[in-house]
């Protein structure tokens, strides 16, 4: 009886206002134990995952970074970046405790009352670099996504100390700092195949001149099959380091219109190539479409670190890549223009990169 009443009451509310503007997020909705999702979250059938397209025979590579000095590992990393655009790394040097702590901190932030989280919304946040929100671009979306997030753009240690929410800032900063070595190692390896011998100051700014860490929260959903956690998209980063918990639900585009699950592996990090590196490598490394399904029985968290060019950098195919006479596929674009283009519209798969195509 009670849940039915809740359901009919919610139909007459302005759900979008409750979720998006009042700071309750989808977590607030999930906690009402609705019998079904409000219509705003129902995705068109073509955007829901089709079980017949999920393949289990193939899987993205799992690479052991402990053997980085040997010839094999570098080859595996570059091959995975060319073929899949995704791989997992183990023995990457980031301590397990650091990973566990940032997941716990994520749960702690989202457990705060709506009033507290709302202080970090676009309208209320004291800084552009701290943003609590829901879905992806609610104002531009036909259907909302079943996800809340806190996005933290790293400006400086001092700014983070002053402005990042105290329940998660130390853990988020520690995870970012401890990941820097593996990020550099991966970029060095990936650059070598592109004829870039070293990451000097200029290349550092181009490849890893800015960092953003997102804390993602996917609450339990009453109709996971009708909605999505995150719609089909590719990241706009150079590369993304993603920590997921043990729930699962991340799918990557495989060959011939298939989807491949990225199974949670305790202690591993998922690495994916973003659009900026696809562009800089002139299409050699692939920024691959991915999506997250909603879950009917567990709350899921994930914590991506987006390693990006500095927003003021102009990105395009690297001279070292074109040196052999290869035709450029992409033009030179200001990275902040590229990012703004991405965030202005709803997720639409691989279409973002069209912005940079010649
Ligand atoms: C220079 C920028 C590009 C623009 O700065 P700005 O002009 O001061 O404006 P804002 O920082 O307020 O952001 C511009 C717009 O992008 C939106 N945005 C700005 N970051 C965000 C944000 N993490 N979240 C969701 N809206 C945002 C933001 O809402 C805003 O929308 P609007 O005010 O409606 O025009 C600034 O954002 C910046 O320094 N970016 C650094 C590079 C960067 O963060 N790159 C993005 C990596 S994120 C990535 O690869 C994937 C992220 C992703 C995220 C969610 C998914 O579901 C899937 C993927
Ligand atoms: O939650 C995940 O597993 C992936 C999230 C994602 O793709 C993103 O934040 O860009
Ligand atoms: Fe992503």
């Amino acid at each position: 009886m009670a849940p039915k009443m809740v359901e009919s009451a919610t139909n007459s509310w302005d759900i979008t206002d409750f979720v998006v503007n009042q700071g309750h997020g989808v977590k607030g909705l999930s906690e009402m134990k609705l019998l079904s999702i409000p219509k705003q979250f129902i995705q068109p059938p073509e955007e829901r995952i089709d079980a017949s397209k999920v393949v289990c025979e193939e899987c993205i590579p799992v690479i052991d970074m402990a053997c980085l000095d040997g010839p094999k590992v570098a080859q595996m990393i570059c091959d995975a970046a060319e073929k899949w655009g995704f791989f997992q790394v183990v023995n990457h040097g980031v301590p397990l405790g650091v990973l566990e702590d940032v997941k716990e901190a994520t749960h702690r932030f989202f457990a705060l009352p709506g009033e507290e989280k709302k202080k970090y919304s676009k309208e209320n946040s004291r800084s552009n670099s701290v943003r609590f929100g829901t879905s992806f671009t609610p104002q531009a979306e036909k259907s909302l996504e079943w996800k809340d997030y806190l996005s933290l753009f790293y400006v400086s240690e001092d700014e983070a100390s002053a402005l990042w929410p105290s329940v998660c800032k130390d853990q988020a900063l520690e995870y970012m700092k401890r990941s820097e070595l593996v990020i550099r190692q991966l970029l060095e390896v990936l650059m070598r195949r592109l004829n870039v011998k070293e990451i000097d100051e200029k290349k550092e700014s181009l490849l890893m001149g800015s960092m953003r860490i997102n804390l993602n929260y996917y609450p339990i959903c009453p109709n996971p099959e009708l909605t999505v956690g995150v719609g089909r998209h590719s990241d706009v980063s150079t590369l993304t380091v993603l920590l997921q918990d043990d729930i699962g639900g991340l799918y990557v585009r495989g060959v011939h219109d298939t989807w491949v699950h990225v199974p949670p592996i305790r202690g591993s990090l998922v690495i994916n190539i973003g659009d900026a590196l696809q562009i800089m490598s002139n299409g050699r490394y692939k920024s691959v479409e991915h999506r997250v399904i909603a879950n009917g029985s567990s709350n899921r968290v994930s914590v991506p670190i987006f390693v990006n060019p500095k927003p003021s950098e102009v990105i395009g195919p690297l001279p070292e890549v074109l040196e052999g006479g290869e035709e450029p596929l992409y033009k030179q674009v200001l990275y902040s223009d590229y990012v703004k283009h991405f965030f202005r519209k709803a997720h639409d798969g691989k279409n973002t990169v069209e912005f940079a195509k010649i």
Side-chain angles (χ1 to χ4, degrees), residues 74-221:
Q75 197 183 328
M76 281 170 83
I77 291 170
C78 297
D79 288 350
E82 286 187 13
K83 182 181 174 199
W84 288 99
F86 265 82
F87 50 96
Q88 302 209 53
V89 290
V90 295
N91 292 319
H92 42 64
V94 186
L96 191 59
V98 171
L99 303 182
E100 293 304 313
D101 286 353
V102 75
K103 281 188 278 181
E104 245 176 60
T106 302
H107 281 283
R108 242 188 343 260
F109 175 78
F110 287 96
L112 291 173
E115 276 306 302
E116 201 53 41
K117 287 182 284 195
K118 207 177 137 184
K119 290 182 185 160
Y120 303 100
S121 70
K122 185 177 165 161
E123 295 70 30
N124 303 324
S125 182
R126 289 163 61 204
S127 156
N128 253 351
S129 47
V130 181
R131 172 90 41 96
F132 163 68
T134 190
S135 194
F136 178 65
T137 309
Q139 65 284 2
E141 287 165 342
K142 289 204 188 90
S143 316
L144 297 173
E145 300 180 347
W146 198 263
K147 179 189 90 168
D148 298 332
Y149 68 87
L150 175 72
S151 186
L152 304 165
F153 182 61
Y154 182 81
V155 177
S156 68
E157 181 93 25
D158 285 351
E159 207 244 15
S161 275
L163 297 174
W164 291 13
S166 57
V167 291
C168 57
K169 75 175 164 205
D170 291 346
Q171 297 75 17
L173 273 170
E174 188 66 9
Y175 167 47
M176 244 178 79
K177 271 193 227 146
R178 301 296 290 253
S179 301
E180 203 179 309
L181 181 61
V182 65
I183 290 167
R184 266 178 204 283
Q185 288 170 332
L186 290 168
L187 286 174
E188 271 165 18
V189 162
L190 290 164
M191 284 301 114
R192 235 172 280 143
R193 190 174 278 191
L194 301 181
N195 292 321
V196 176
K197 306 282 180 297
E198 65 155 339
I199 300 183
D200 58 14
E201 226 174 282
K202 168 72 192 139
K203 283 282 181 329
E204 183 170 315
S205 169
L206 196 58
L207 297 168
M208 50 184 296
S210 72
M211 303 270 183
R212 186 184 284 283
I213 175 166
N214 279 11
L215 310 186
N216 291 329
Y217 192 88
Y218 304 89
I220 295 172
C221 178

Side-chain angles (χ1 to χ4, degrees), residues 274-295:
D275 293 353
L277 188 50
Q278 175 170 322
I279 293 167
M280 288 191 266
S281 68
N282 203 31
R284 181 158 191 172
Y285 295 137
K286 308 287 185 310
S287 169
V288 172
E289 229 181 338
H290 52 286
R291 49 158 64 165
V292 178
I293 60 166
N295 191 292

Side-chain angles (χ1 to χ4, degrees), residues 86 147 214 216 218 230-231 233-235 240 242-244 249-251 272 290-292 300-304 306 342 347:
F86 265 82
K147 179 189 90 168
N214 279 11
N216 291 329
Y218 304 89
V230 181
H233 71 285
S234 58
D235 293 351
T240 304
L242 175 86
L243 169 66
Q244 60 170 337
L250 170 62
Y251 288 83
N272 65 285
H290 52 286
R291 49 158 64 165
V292 178
R300 173 175 186 266
V301 297
S302 72
V303 193
F306 300 105
F342 174 68
H347 281 320

